[in-house]
Amino acid sequence: MEENYIKAKDLLKKYNQEQLLVCYDKLSKENQEKLINQILNIDFEQITDLYEKTKKQITYTNCKVEPLSYVDKYKMSVEDRAKYKQLGEDIIKQGKYAVVTMAGGQGTRLGHNAPKGTFEIGIGIHKSLFEALSDTLKKAMKKYDVKIPWYIMTSVENNSQTIEFFENHNYFGIDKKDVKFFIQGELPMVSEEGKILVDEKGLVKQAADGHGGIFEAMYKEGILQDMENRKIEWIFVAGVDNILAGMVDPLLTGLAISQNCLAAGKSVVKRDPFENVGVFCKKNNRPSVIEYTEITEEMAKQRDQNGELLYGESHILCNLFNIKSLEEISKNKLPYHSAHKKAKYINEEGKLIEPEKPNAYKFEAFIFDAFERLNDMAIMRVKREEEFAPVKNAQGEDSPETAKELYLKFIENKD
Ligand code: UTP
């Protein structure tokens, strides 16, 4: 222990991060050990590099951006639809299909003091987001008469609470053996001066490493292996906060197979050229997503001969991956992006600081950065009101209120 303490101290000195030991003397033995371990596991070169990048403006001047073609779910020919449906249903019925729900986010905008999936938007009697998603899954299992394994990505912060929630709700009637949790990675948060922050407990302040952390986590936590053991071939991945996510989709699967693609994504039409959403595109001939912060006004307004926006296919975080593509993607880390956030921390004098405006950087990988590692992707345009009801904000747009309305409409119209 003493030896590790000295090692940690030397490291902190070398990287000018000695504030991390500010609470050390006041910590319990167990937390002292935890803190030292955290420090020894920090990749200080990586953190320094990520911090330096926060000062640079990212430019995409060397990148060729083009539209990515898509198929409209409601404009397919009868023959194509039948073909895709058959191909996709075969995969599902043969038990080669799994679902992953990403539930590791902090849900800061919603402000719910528990894992986001436990939030109730006011449908049914105490129906949580997790329960609403479990309903979709159970319905599909019944329809196709097959087990569909459900993998749930959590974070260090919310993992035990999430599992407890599932335990308390008897896994919503799903066989416990078919629900697996896995914890995503995390990275330290740094101040605007590049200092790694100390959290309220006196430990290193860490935050989940973004939804792009899914690939590394699936590999490290043995999820890919579990899928291989179960002979899973296609994996649908979506966030926990879209209660209309069509998680079991034979058409999308059949489309991907027909187009010979190892991944697919659903899109909805951008509401207007300036809606704050990322859109599917090709970057240097590879599938990708261009964020609303990156797209020029001219590109955002461009239309095709039918009057449709050229860059109008919004990425709604509903994607399908073939297991082969997941193996490929998880071999190498995705790049990290920085987000400027409000973060409580203990300063160098040991005082708790509760900022009123963003004061720190959080580093996150984005799932769509993985698309560029693939040759191509099949995109299926779906209807927003049928498949996209996100719960992001406490009020207003994309809030429990709007999601509830969409959910009730969809459920009423569906069956
Ligand atoms: P968001 O980017 O909307 O983040 O995540 P969030 O955590 O839900 O909310 P804010 O930004 O803090 O208000 C979209 C989806 O990706 C998951 C979230 O749980 C959500 O389902 N996610 C996000 C993760 O699983 N891990 C992450 O590190 C980030």
Side-chain angles (χ1 to χ4, degrees), residues 329-393:
I329 293 165
S330 56
K331 278 187 192 154
N332 293 301
K333 272 188 182 295
L334 292 178
Y336 290 109
H337 303 253
S338 62
H340 202 199
K341 297 262 177 181
K342 271 202 289 191
K344 281 189 210 164
Y345 71 104
I346 294 184
N347 73 6
E348 297 183 18
E349 281 89 51
K351 223 175 102 191
L352 179 69
I353 307 294
E354 299 190 51
E356 276 170 12
K357 53 182 183 37
N359 62 318
Y361 293 106
K362 178 180 174 189
F363 303 109
E364 292 184 297
F366 296 153
I367 198 165
F368 47 79
D369 279 329
F371 300 166
E372 292 179 39
R373 300 200 177 158
L374 305 165
N375 291 329
D376 207 356
M377 240 174 121
I379 307 299
M380 184 169 80
R381 180 195 277 184
V382 295
K383 284 187 182 159
R384 188 184 282 260
E385 63 275 22
E386 287 185 359
E387 306 225 17
F388 191 48
V391 183
K392 297 284 179 195
N393 308 304

Side-chain angles (χ1 to χ4, degrees), residues 19-20 22-24 26-28 31 34-35 38 106 108 113 157 189 196-207 342-355 359-360:
Q19 76 288 348
L20 286 183
V22 64
C23 298
Y24 183 83
K26 292 191 205 126
L27 297 178
S28 65
N31 273 348
K34 194 166 174 193
L35 175 62
Q38 282 184 318
Q106 289 182 305
T108 32
N113 200 15
E157 200 177 334
M189 290 185 75
I196 297 175
L197 298 181
V198 174
D199 72 10
E200 293 110 297
K201 291 191 205 129
L203 301 171
V204 176
K205 187 161 184 98
Q206 314 239 41
K342 271 202 289 191
K344 281 189 210 164
Y345 71 104
I346 294 184
N347 73 6
E348 297 183 18
E349 281 89 51
K351 223 175 102 191
L352 179 69
I353 307 294
E354 299 190 51
N359 62 318

Side-chain angles (χ1 to χ4, degrees), residues 67-74 76 84 249 251-257 259 261-269 278-282 286-289 310 312-316 318-320 368 371 374 376-382:
L68 180 60
S69 53
Y70 65 88
V71 171
D72 190 323
K73 180 176 174 182
Y74 290 97
M76 288 171 184
Y84 303 151
D249 195 326
L251 277 185
L252 186 72
T253 314
L255 180 70
I257 295 171
Q259 293 193 350
C261 290
L262 289 181
K266 299 198 213 191
S267 66
V268 300
V269 183
V279 288
F280 283 104
C281 69
K282 276 202 157 183
R286 298 263 177 175
S288 184
V289 165
L310 259 188
E313 301 312 304
S314 316
H315 172 246
I316 55 169
C318 281
N319 299 305
L320 181 72
F368 47 79
F371 300 166
L374 305 165
D376 207 356
M377 240 174 121
I379 307 299
M380 184 169 80
R381 180 195 277 184
V382 295

Side-chain angles (χ1 to χ4, degrees), residues 102-109 116 153 184 208 210-211 239-241 392:
M102 300 185 293
Q106 289 182 305
T108 32
R109 285 169 289 172
K116 202 176 195 178
M153 180 166 85
Q184 70 173 110
H211 43 60
V240 71
D241 51 6
K392 297 284 179 195

Side-chain angles (χ1 to χ4, degrees), residues 90-127:
D90 283 350
I91 291 289
I92 298 165
K93 286 181 184 161
Q94 289 162 17
K96 295 178 180 169
Y97 193 98
V99 168
V100 181
T101 296
M102 300 185 293
Q106 289 182 305
T108 32
R109 285 169 289 172
L110 183 63
H112 173 53
N113 200 15
K116 202 176 195 178
T118 67
F119 187 79
E120 294 167 15
I121 63 165
I123 43 174
I125 304 166
H126 297 304
K127 192 182 279 190

Side-chain angles (χ1 to χ4, degrees), residues 79-221:
E79 296 79 30
D80 279 349
R81 173 178 280 269
K83 182 172 92 180
Y84 303 151
K85 191 165 174 262
Q86 181 72 53
L87 283 168
E89 285 190 354
D90 283 350
I91 291 289
I92 298 165
K93 286 181 184 161
Q94 289 162 17
K96 295 178 180 169
Y97 193 98
V99 168
V100 181
T101 296
M102 300 185 293
Q106 289 182 305
T108 32
R109 285 169 289 172
L110 183 63
H112 173 53
N113 200 15
K116 202 176 195 178
T118 67
F119 187 79
E120 294 167 15
I121 63 165
I123 43 174
I125 304 166
H126 297 304
K127 192 182 279 190
S128 60
L129 295 179
F130 278 135
E131 184 170 357
L133 297 181
S134 78
D135 284 350
T136 307
L137 202 56
K138 282 187 289 189
K139 211 152 117 192
M141 291 202 238
K142 195 164 166 217
K143 178 169 177 188
Y144 300 112
D145 190 22
V146 72
K147 285 193 168 201
I148 300 174
W150 192 12
Y151 299 90
I152 297 168
M153 180 166 85
T154 63
S155 63
V156 175
E157 200 177 334
N158 73 17
N159 182 62
S160 50
Q161 255 181 305
T162 305
I163 296 178
E164 199 182 311
F165 190 76
F166 272 76
E167 287 283 339
N168 290 343
H169 290 84
N170 197 23
Y171 287 72
F172 307 107
I174 297 177
D175 190 342
K176 197 174 159 170
K177 288 201 291 298
D178 296 321
V179 183
K180 268 196 180 304
F181 301 91
F182 64 104
I183 306 178
Q184 70 173 110
E186 49 180 19
L187 281 171
M189 290 185 75
V190 302
S191 72
E192 287 166 344
E193 292 74 40
K195 297 282 187 189
I196 297 175
L197 298 181
V198 174
D199 72 10
E200 293 110 297
K201 291 191 205 129
L203 301 171
V204 176
K205 187 161 184 98
Q206 314 239 41
D209 61 357
H211 43 60
I214 184 175
F215 303 105
E216 200 179 344
M218 279 176 68
Y219 175 73
K220 278 194 179 159
E221 300 268 300

